[in-house]
Amino acid sequence: KAGVTQTPRYLIKTRGQQVTLSCSPISGHRSVSWYQQTPGQGLQFLFEYFSETQRNKGNFPGRFSGRQFSNSRSEMNVSTLELGDSALYLCASSWLPPRANEQFFGPGTRLTVL
Amino acid sequence: AQKVTQAQTEISVVEKEDVTLDCVYETRDTTYYLFWYKQPPSGELVFLIRRNSFDEQNEISGRYSWNFQKSTSSFNFTITASQVVDSAVYFCALSENRDDKIIFGKGTRLHILP
């Protein structure tokens, strides 16, 4: 069974640009969560989707958005990039909502904003 | 508000020693869920355990054990007879029943020295 895949794995952008990251969950998983990991702030919850609905959102500005498609694949978008958006973005999937079971994490997309 | 504190930023022990990673949480909910995840140098988070607030039984899985104490709001993780492969960053996390935001602690970087 294939794990969670994230594309691209590495990305370099400049300030002001926008970026879209993609996450393909494990087959059959309906919940997808996104996290931002930085050395200073650690792992921070961005948002969670379940069956195409955003059910929870962390404390991030509106520049961070996401969506989930009918096949459970998810994308997150960051507009008007800032230097502070440089981070490892992790996607996690689970069969049930995250609190109910184990989440499986992808390898992450490392975003560098210059 | 929910919060997870891992006071130990970094720990180094010699192989075969036992080591305990501390986790203290804060929540207003009576129903909540606690997790431990491991992030090896490869970067992908690996689920270790999930515990709900009504289950205070300690758990042992091979060399790993967890001590959940509601009275002190702690969910500590012990590795017995540590091995070099245990070197990683370990995260404790909390989710309240009201939503599926998983709040992570800042992590403890564990070095097992040969």
Side-chain angles (χ1 to χ4, degrees), chain A residues 55-72:
Chain A
R55 297 184 329 119
N56 291 288
K57 192 175 192 310
N59 296 325
F60 279 82
R63 300 185 296 107
F64 291 81
S65 63
R67 58 179 174 167
Q68 186 180 34
F69 302 97
S70 57
N71 61 359
S72 292

Side-chain angles (χ1 to χ4, degrees), chain A residues 37 55-57 97 99, chain B residues 37 39 50 99-101:
Chain A
Q37 186 174 23
R55 297 184 329 119
N56 291 288
K57 192 175 192 310
R99 70 179 184 278
Chain B
Y37 280 86
Q39 188 175 38
R50 169 184 172 271
D99 61 34
D100 279 297
K101 295 181 185 180

Side-chain angles (χ1 to χ4, degrees), chain B residues 8-12 21 39 88-90 107-111:
Chain B
Q8 303 150 310
T9 307
E10 203 158 341
I11 301 175
S12 294
L21 309 183
Q39 188 175 38
V89 181
Y90 290 86
T108 297
R109 185 175 297 276
L110 178 64
H111 300 279

